[in-house]
Amino acid sequence: MLHSIIEMLRSIIGAITGENDRKKIRGTVVLMKKNVLDFTDLRSSIIDRVYELLGKGVSLQLVSAVHTDRTNGLQGQVGKPAYLKGWITTITSLTAGESAFKVTFDHDAEIGQPGAFIIRNNHRSEFYLRTLTLEDVPGLGRIHFVCNSWVYPADKYDTDRVFFTNQAYLPSETPGPLRGYRESELVNLRGYGTGELKEWDRVYDYAYYNDLGNPDRDPTSAKYARPVLGGSVKYPYPRRGRTGRPPSETDPNTESRLPLLMSLNIYVPRDERFGHIKKSDFLAYALKALVQFVLPEFETLCDSTPNEFDSFQDVFQLYEGFKVPDGPLLDKIKENIPLEMLKELVRTDEEGLFKFPTPQVIKEDKSAWRTDKEFAREMLAGLNPVVIRRLEEFPPESKLDPEVYGNQNSSITKEHIENHLDGLTINKALEKKRLFILDHHDTLMPYLRKINMTSTKTYASRTVLFLKDGGTLKPLAIELSLPHPDGDKFGAVSKVYTPAEHGVEGSIWQLAKAYAAVNDSGHHQLLSHWLNTHAVIEPFVIATNRQLSVLHPINKLLDPHFRDTMNINALARQILINAGGVVESTVYPSKYAMEMSSIVYKNWVFTEQALPADLINRGMAEKDSDAPHGLRLVLDDYPYAVDGLEIWSAIETWVEDYCSFYYKTDEMVEKDSELQSWWKELREEGHGDKKDEAWWPKMHTVKELMDTCTIIIWVASALHAAVNFGQYPYAGFLPNRPTISRRFMPEEGTPEYEELKSNPEKAFLKTITAQLQTLLGISLIEILSRHSSDEVYLGQRDTPEWTQDATPLKAFEKFGRKLADIEENIIKRNGDEKFKNRVGPVNMPYTLLYPTSKGGLTGKGIPNSVSI
């Protein structure tokens, strides 16, 4: 009522002064009020309405792109404040929906063309500002601003919040009146490098991974201490986002940790936080709930029952429904987790049976996963298809330093394999490019002695395979190696296992494959997935926000591919990859997991992350100008590579079309001050431990810029999708992808060997991941394999008006059409029986590089970014 009276008085005063006769520019602001999951913060909403009644509303001022103000340092002329209308009368739905508000500006000839606007939030709570659209601007028509940012109360900021039109400008082409605003905004985003950062801070800054350990948890031992990753020759690592938390009490080099209950409050810049729509928040809350409530109750459950699966049927029961014993499990969870989340997190039917979704790998056939053909196929079309390489010498040789590790070359001999090469000699098979290897030996061996001092008991493995005439691979031998008991310099102690189907020999072969799968699972989770997508992309997110203005065309190109990455990585540091976290509990390197990934980062090369370079590097493809994509695959039916090269080529073409619109010459790249600062900081700060490497592109040419952006987009989108969203479909049935082995291969004459003879299923299950770790592991990967309902996929944007430039918009439409064609191609290939590796014995089509998906657990879809 009071608000209506105020508006009426303004109208009367305007009539008296003639203000109402002035030309007006009418606009619409779309925003989302503060909310938590599905429910608006009612207290904040009430206080904001009181502030509105007191005249403390949300004001906007237009900034000229053509006229400067001499009293304001020659920055753009600033118009009079205009206020959002109807805040009190606009009712926001209980779901986290957007609301549209009207705003009316006086048209001021001194403003002319608006190029930006200043917004002041005089309320008590923040809101998410989506867009501002101006209608009928004299001489210009419609002007649209894409904002997509949380705006906190004005007293939280040292300077006003400024938003620009969605017109892209290179720094040298920026209208003069906007240059100061452009530069000031970047300064604000960089921060001052000191102090603990708060939720309203918008600061992007770098830090080492010094927050994984928690020495204060047990100061009397080193149980929860972990080395600092990054900033040293011994432990190089990409940088993470800085939080500014104080050091721990026990170790000044280790950052203090947040309590588990505060996990979701770990600092990342507010616009990088989950919360676009409820499903993104659901994923974060589900992860927290998993660790905080489900894990302790699973521990209680497993402590009160035998800690082993006795048969594969016991494992199948997880997907058919198993009764939780009387106890606190469901009651405790129901007390602490919202109902809508509980329905997904703990699926129970009318009889109270707990069940997981059936993983695709056992949906059609419960035993096909055990076949040698499927074991080999998943190296080409499974969860980790980025490791297998062509064997170019025999026996396989180690690259480990013999001065330190002795002889680590393979002990596989021609007697082990030559009778299984379809009549070829080893040399002829090598010449014909028909021998391949899954080699985890050198990665694991330096840490194996330490790892086997934990509860893990495992080997470093090499698996040699042969390409059959039909295009499928068959395993020929698996070598399992241990460090020499007398010391590393004495080399490896190895044993070679060859295929067998029956009796105890068949059971031993199944165990040999399991040990190789354990190696591959750890490599996948820590290296292919975490290190090579999540960790290496975060410095690009930080550097882009610090050095490339939102007006910069390369910011506009890359920004969608950074969505949610800092948030999921921060959450991972808090509850997944930290000391005693879920990864250490469920993956074999245990407390050495992250340290081991640091050692592997020493060999990381940015340019080799390009798919063609990776395939060539692994001997899986050769350059051929006459072949599609300029490459000829050594193995034609390699689903990851075939689909991946189509996606890569589409990204590459899109990036070329986009960049060539803004950069006509190499000189324009060299003279782009923001671009050069971005690339310098990325190398020297973001990946600072690699700053002296000769392989970094110099960023002197348009080609180098295009190649760099193509690699960034590929890694953040398609590569991550290929190694993430198959986790539950392939590894949700853990015997197919065990992550831990708890005892060594049984030796003849031991009770374990006798058990292997009499009850091979039980012996197998007692060797691999235990019951508790299985429940925890599959709970985790089910969450991580899901798409959120608000996911934005490759070839899509969350707003169609992300740029005003028509040529890039048309190129983007072409990119989308190309991806739709690729979807059709994938469907056709999956239906073509000549491609035996695309479906395999488990009857599971390869869809991980299918560009789009619906929400949920689908096993397909390429999100724009590393968003989960």
Side-chain angles (χ1 to χ4, degrees):
M1 179 69 179
L2 181 57
H3 190 269
S4 300
I5 294 171
I6 292 171
E7 288 295 318
M8 187 183 302
L9 288 172
R10 284 176 177 166
S11 179
I12 293 170
I13 292 170
I16 295 171
T17 61
E19 187 76 16
N20 292 353
D21 297 329
R22 297 187 63 179
K23 288 184 179 178
K24 306 291 183 183
I25 298 175
R26 306 193 186 281
T28 302
V29 170
V30 176
L31 59 81
M32 185 170 67
K33 295 181 181 181
K34 179 185 177 185
N35 65 86
V36 179
L37 280 178
D38 282 352
F39 303 97
T40 33
D41 185 331
L42 295 178
R43 180 173 175 274
S44 294
S45 179
I46 292 169
I47 292 175
D48 288 346
R49 292 183 182 201
V50 172
Y51 272 54
E52 280 281 328
L53 291 173
L54 296 175
K56 295 182 178 180
V58 176
S59 71
L60 295 89
Q61 294 172 274
L62 298 179
V63 178
S64 175
V66 291
H67 299 300
T68 57
D69 181 354
R70 294 183 180 277
T71 66
N72 189 27
L74 295 179
Q75 295 194 110
Q77 186 82 33
V78 179
K80 292 180 179 179
Y83 290 84
L84 293 190
K85 297 177 181 178
W87 189 280
I88 294 176
T89 56
T90 300
I91 305 299
T92 304
S93 63
L94 281 179
T95 57
E98 297 171 352
S99 304
F101 296 88
K102 297 300 180 184
V103 62
T104 302
F105 300 90
D106 289 332
H107 175 248
D108 188 340
E110 302 240 338
I111 297 294
Q113 179 182 341
F117 71 91
I118 295 168
I119 188 167
R120 288 182 62 85
N121 174 10
N122 297 307
H123 290 164
R124 278 284 303 276
S125 59
E126 69 272 22
F127 55 80
Y128 186 73
L129 181 62
R130 180 71 79 181
T131 59
L132 165 65
T133 306
L134 304 179
E135 304 291 350
D136 299 323
V137 179
L140 298 167
R142 182 176 179 275
I143 297 179
H144 189 63
F145 299 78
V146 176
C147 307
N148 289 336
S149 181
W150 285 94
V151 178
Y152 275 75
D155 61 5
K156 299 294 187 187
Y157 299 123
D158 294 331
T159 58
D160 288 327
R161 292 297 311 275
V162 178
F163 293 92
F164 300 92
T165 62
N166 58 342
Q167 174 66 54
Y169 295 105
L170 295 177
S172 61
E173 297 171 348
T174 309
L178 298 181
R179 286 182 184 174
Y181 290 104
R182 176 175 183 150
E183 291 164 5
S184 296
E185 178 71 355
L186 287 174
V187 170
N188 293 334
L189 292 172
R190 291 175 199 139
Y192 305 106
T194 59
E196 183 169 359
L197 296 166
K198 305 300 182 184
E199 69 169 272
W200 51 83
D201 286 321
R202 304 169 56 235
V203 172
Y204 294 79
D205 204 354
Y206 302 99
Y208 302 138
Y209 277 72
N210 65 345
D211 62 341
L212 302 179
N214 189 6
D216 292 348
R217 183 173 173 181
D218 186 358
T220 61
S221 76
K223 182 176 181 182
Y224 296 104
R226 297 292 181 270
V228 174
L229 304 184
S232 68
V233 174
K234 186 176 182 181
Y235 297 123
Y237 220 62
R239 303 299 186 255
R240 64 169 175 93
R242 186 177 78 83
T243 68
R245 293 198 305 271
S248 66
E249 295 179 7
T250 308
D251 178 7
N253 294 319
T254 296
E255 188 171 277
S256 59
R257 291 187 58 77
L258 289 178
L260 181 61
L261 286 168
M262 302 290 288
S263 291
L264 298 186
N265 295 333
I266 187 169
Y267 174 79
V268 291
R270 186 63 178 94
D271 291 344
E272 304 297 333
R273 291 279 296 270
F274 290 150
H276 307 272
I277 291 183
K278 64 178 182 178
K279 195 69 175 185
S280 296
D281 272 325
F282 164 82
L283 292 167
Y285 275 81
L287 282 170
K288 178 179 173 227
L290 173 68
V291 176
Q292 187 176 340
F293 303 115
V294 180
L295 174 56
E297 298 307 318
F298 276 162
E299 286 177 338
T300 301
L301 169 64
C302 292
D303 284 346
S304 62
T305 61
N307 196 29
E308 304 291 349
F309 295 109
D310 293 324
S311 67
F312 289 131
Q313 184 54 44
D314 285 355
V315 185
F316 293 137
Q317 206 67 43
L318 296 176
Y319 318 105
E320 296 164 5
F322 64 95
K323 186 73 175 177
V324 176
D326 291 336
L329 175 58
L330 290 181
D331 290 342
K332 182 74 171 287
I333 293 173
K334 286 176 182 176
E335 289 171 13
N336 290 285
I337 302 177
L339 179 62
E340 66 274 11
M341 187 184 301
L342 185 67
K343 290 175 183 176
E344 285 292 314
L345 195 62
V346 180
R347 277 165 235 78
T348 55
D349 60 17
E350 294 78 9
E351 299 175 358
L353 293 179
F354 186 106
K355 63 169 65 175
F356 290 97
T358 302
Q360 284 175 268
V361 77
I362 57 167
K363 189 168 280 187
E364 300 293 328
D365 188 321
K366 289 184 177 180
S367 62
W369 65 274
R370 302 194 74 182
T371 62
D372 288 359
K373 186 180 290 187
E374 180 61 23
F375 172 70
R377 184 190 79 93
E378 289 185 22
M379 299 176 198
L380 303 171
L383 184 52
N384 195 27
V386 295
V387 180
I388 188 171
R389 63 179 175 85
R390 181 165 58 85
L391 192 57
E392 299 184 49
E393 78 285 317
F394 190 87
E397 295 181 358
S398 171
K399 291 185 173 65
L400 293 175
D401 184 354
E403 294 290 320
V404 179
Y405 295 104
N407 180 13
Q408 293 288 337
N409 293 335
S410 177
S411 62
I412 301 174
T413 66
K414 75 173 189 175
E415 285 75 24
H416 288 121
I417 68 172
E418 197 157 61
N419 290 335
H420 306 282
L421 300 179
D422 292 359
L424 298 177
T425 64
I426 288 177
N427 286 337
K428 203 67 178 173
L430 289 170
E431 183 185 318
K432 288 181 169 289
K433 302 179 176 60
R434 294 181 66 174
L435 286 176
F436 297 82
I437 187 169
L438 187 72
D439 191 346
H440 294 301
H441 181 97
D442 284 4
T443 301
L444 189 52
M445 183 56 75
Y447 273 87
L448 196 52
R449 196 182 301 275
K450 289 181 181 179
I451 290 170
N452 283 340
M453 291 174 70
T454 69
S455 59
T456 294
K457 299 293 178 281
T458 196
Y459 303 89
S461 69
R462 291 183 176 107
T463 304
V464 175
L465 307 103
F466 176 69
L467 177 61
K468 298 168 65 177
D469 287 337
T472 59
L473 294 174
K474 71 174 180 180
L476 300 173
I478 295 175
E479 178 187 51
L480 302 179
S481 303
L482 290 170
H484 198 285
D486 295 334
D488 289 348
K489 66 180 181 181
F490 293 99
V493 177
S494 304
K495 190 166 183 180
V496 178
Y497 300 87
T498 54
E501 293 185 16
H502 306 293
V504 70
E505 292 82 7
S507 300
I508 286 172
W509 174 244
Q510 290 295 332
L511 277 178
K513 290 194 294 182
Y515 289 116
V518 167
N519 275 200
D520 199 56
S521 293
H523 187 286
H524 161 261
Q525 199 62 272
L526 298 173
L527 307 178
S528 302
H529 184 203
W530 167 258
L531 175 64
N532 289 339
T533 62
H534 285 260
V536 301
I537 280 293
E538 186 161 356
F540 288 92
V541 183
I542 299 170
T544 300
N545 282 279
R546 285 169 56 87
Q547 299 296 343
L548 296 180
S549 164
V550 293
L551 289 167
H552 200 288
I554 300 304
N555 182 305
K556 290 183 180 294
L557 172 67
L558 296 179
D559 180 68
H561 304 290
F562 298 150
R563 179 188 179 191
D564 291 344
T565 300
M566 290 186 73
N567 200 159
I568 192 63
N569 285 3
L571 201 57
R573 298 197 312 273
Q574 183 67 13
I575 61 179
L576 298 181
I577 60 174
N578 58 301
V582 177
V583 168
E584 286 193 359
S585 302
T586 59
V587 180
Y588 72 84
S590 187
K591 65 180 289 186
Y592 301 105
M594 292 302 292
E595 184 180 329
M596 202 170 89
S597 73
S598 166
I599 302 306
V600 172
Y601 176 66
K602 291 180 179 181
N603 297 319
W604 182 81
V605 177
F606 173 72
T607 51
E608 290 180 1
Q609 308 313 300
L611 179 60
D614 169 57
L615 293 171
I616 291 169
N617 196 42
R618 291 189 284 121
M620 302 300 287
E622 297 171 337
K623 289 184 179 180
D624 184 345
S625 58
D626 295 327
H629 321 296
L631 285 184
R632 179 171 49 79
L633 290 174
V634 170
L635 204 164
D636 291 336
D637 188 11
Y638 184 0
Y640 163 74
V642 172
D643 297 357
L645 284 170
E646 288 198 354
I647 298 291
W648 169 271
S649 181
I651 295 171
E652 186 176 49
T653 300
W654 152 236
V655 170
E656 288 174 356
D657 290 346
Y658 183 88
C659 290
S660 62
F661 177 76
Y662 295 100
Y663 295 93
K664 306 300 184 186
T665 65
D666 293 341
E667 184 181 25
M668 292 179 72
V669 171
E670 286 194 88
K671 290 189 174 181
D672 184 333
S673 57
E674 286 184 6
L675 188 72
Q676 294 303 323
S677 296
W678 170 68
W679 194 239
K680 182 176 189 292
E681 182 173 286
L682 189 282
R683 297 190 326 269
E684 296 182 1
E685 297 289 340
H687 283 279
D689 298 329
K690 294 277 189 178
K691 64 183 178 182
D692 296 324
E693 299 284 2
W695 43 253
W696 283 110
K698 304 301 182 187
M699 205 53 71
H700 290 165
T701 67
V702 179
K703 178 72 163 58
E704 286 178 322
L705 173 61
M706 291 173 175
D707 290 346
T708 295
C709 291
T710 302
I711 292 172
I712 294 168
I713 295 171
W714 163 260
V715 171
S717 59
L719 179 60
H720 178 258
V723 297
N724 184 77
F725 293 102
Q727 289 187 86
Y728 196 82
Y730 287 99
F733 180 67
L734 219 60
N736 184 52
R737 298 280 304 177
T739 57
I740 293 175
S741 50
R742 296 175 288 146
R743 62 185 191 181
F744 293 123
M745 183 73 82
E747 297 289 341
E748 198 166 354
T750 63
E752 290 81 7
Y753 190 86
E754 292 304 311
E755 182 180 49
L756 187 65
K757 288 170 64 176
S758 62
N759 193 340
E761 281 192 13
K762 187 170 185 177
F764 182 95
L765 292 166
K766 285 173 74 171
T767 300
I768 64 165
T769 317
Q771 192 178 54
L772 168 63
Q773 283 85 0
T774 295
L775 292 170
L776 178 59
I778 62 178
S779 296
L780 172 66
I781 62 174
E782 186 198 346
I783 295 168
L784 298 183
S785 300
R786 287 179 171 271
H787 291 294
S788 65
S789 59
D790 66 328
E791 193 66 83
V792 184
Y793 296 93
L794 193 63
Q796 301 174 356
R797 295 270 177 151
D798 58 3
T799 174
E801 295 182 80
W802 57 273
T803 180
Q804 288 183 5
D805 293 319
T807 300
L809 285 175
K810 288 181 180 177
F812 190 66
E813 289 175 7
K814 184 178 80 170
F815 178 45
R817 291 193 298 270
K818 181 62 178 177
L819 292 172
D821 292 342
I822 292 172
E823 288 188 354
E824 293 299 319
N825 294 342
I826 291 172
I827 292 171
K828 288 176 183 175
R829 284 193 291 268
N830 285 344
D832 191 333
E833 292 184 0
K834 76 178 179 183
F835 297 125
K836 297 181 174 62
N837 294 324
R838 298 201 69 91
V839 176
V842 293
N843 195 22
M844 180 179 173
Y846 184 73
T847 56
L848 292 175
L849 288 174
Y850 190 89
T852 60
S853 174
K854 59 184 181 182
L857 198 61
T858 65
K860 62 182 179 180
I862 303 175
N864 269 325
S865 62
V866 180
S867 56
I868 189 63

